[in-house]
Amino acid sequence: MFSYYGSKSKIVDYYPPPKHKRIIEPFCGSARYSLKYWQNDVLLVDKYPVIVSIWEYLINDTKADILNLPDIVTGQNVDDFDITQVEKWLIGFCINGGSAQPKKTAKDYNTWGEAKTRIANDIEKIKHWKVQLGSYEELENEDATWFIDPPYQVGGEWYVKSTKHIDFDSLGNWCKSRNGQVIVCENTKATWLPFKPMIDMQGSMYKTTEAIWSNHKTNYDNVQVSLF
């Protein structure tokens, strides 16, 4: 619903669909995978309190409340408006798209206008979702589709809860031990699981290759596609 660093909005359609009714995202961020399959029984988990607060707000808010939020144009600051802190955080992720932290001043890459409409139109879809603050290690093992999108081993240092907070060997073993379907996101520079190349991504400065590991067969076991 909102912009976030590392969001899967451009490539979500390339991931395998869930095999289970329940979806768990232990590093949920903007939860783009769950949004694609919003009808499912969704549990979002994140260590970053700002992300959890935004999702709690969205789950409990109304379409009218979202539409009543102010329009913010380039150069304006969220502190200039009489809105709550969590509303400032939500808007702050969209007024400088692709950020790992909410910003205060709207920049040229300000997507809040379209994001507000999108959120308002989609907000009723997520009322049955659950969200909790915590770490992946705290989750019970259960039959589910686990969509695991941690800060990347190479490139994930910009998150507030960044790679320095992750023991990747331990995370890899944890992923392999999950019951049900496991989908793990990374890029091809990662070494903590035997990732398969998935999609070439052309960024503003350089090209990277998204990668996937799953305990089920995927379309990327032998094939790689390009996305520009």
Side-chain angles (χ1 to χ4, degrees):
M1 287 188 174
F2 54 92
S3 181
Y4 190 54
Y5 179 63
S7 168
K8 295 298 180 284
S9 59
K10 293 182 179 180
I11 60 174
V12 65
D13 292 340
Y14 292 86
Y15 289 100
K19 294 180 179 293
H20 295 263
K21 181 64 176 176
R22 184 160 172 78
I23 297 175
I24 303 174
E25 291 205 41
F27 302 85
C28 71
S30 58
R32 190 61 187 84
Y33 185 83
S34 289
L35 282 168
K36 181 174 173 63
Y37 304 103
W38 58 270
Q39 303 96 327
N40 287 48
D41 176 18
V42 172
L43 173 63
L44 305 181
V45 182
D46 208 285
K47 291 177 67 175
Y48 187 17
V50 168
I51 289 294
V52 172
S53 295
I54 289 173
W55 279 115
E56 288 175 338
Y57 168 80
L58 293 173
I59 289 169
N60 293 289
D61 215 24
T62 67
K63 179 176 182 177
D65 290 333
I66 297 298
L67 291 175
N68 284 331
L69 291 173
D71 295 321
I72 297 182
V73 300
T74 301
Q76 289 185 311
N77 190 295
V78 294
D79 288 337
D80 295 335
F81 298 89
D82 184 20
I83 54 179
T84 66
Q85 181 60 70
V86 70
E87 289 168 339
K88 291 179 181 179
W89 286 335
L90 172 63
I91 296 171
F93 275 120
C94 299
I95 58 176
N96 193 356
S99 297
Q101 300 181 55
K103 306 298 185 182
K104 288 182 175 290
T105 302
K107 301 296 184 181
D108 290 337
Y109 191 48
N110 175 9
T111 63
W112 170 238
E114 60 189 70
K116 183 167 76 166
T117 301
R118 182 174 62 250
I119 293 168
N121 289 335
D122 288 345
I123 198 166
E124 292 301 322
K125 296 177 180 179
I126 66 170
K127 298 307 179 187
H128 62 287
W129 289 16
K130 304 296 182 184
V131 60
Q132 67 185 53
L133 179 67
S135 179
Y136 72 91
E137 302 104 325
E138 302 165 4
L139 295 173
E140 292 185 10
N141 199 358
E142 56 180 296
D143 286 327
T145 291
W146 297 80
F147 189 79
I148 302 169
D149 184 19
Y152 285 4
Q153 190 175 25
V154 178
E157 63 271 15
W158 302 108
Y159 291 97
V160 173
K161 300 298 182 181
S162 67
T163 51
K164 66 183 179 181
H165 299 278
I166 299 175
D167 179 337
F168 282 100
D169 288 337
S170 177
L171 176 58
N173 290 331
W174 182 86
C175 291
K176 290 186 285 187
S177 73
R178 295 303 88 192
N179 294 330
Q181 177 190 19
V182 184
I183 302 167
V184 185
C185 309
E186 252 289 3
N187 62 38
T188 51
K189 296 179 181 179
T191 59
W192 54 280
L193 281 174
F195 292 100
K196 302 290 180 65
M198 189 172 75
I199 300 170
D200 289 337
M201 294 285 289
Q202 182 62 58
S204 58
M205 295 180 62
Y206 50 85
K207 185 167 68 175
T208 61
T209 302
E210 291 291 310
I212 186 173
W213 180 87
S214 180
N215 60 347
H216 288 256
K217 183 177 176 59
T218 75
N219 293 335
Y220 306 102
D221 289 344
N222 299 303
V223 179
Q224 180 181 345
V225 300
S226 295
L227 180 67
F228 294 97

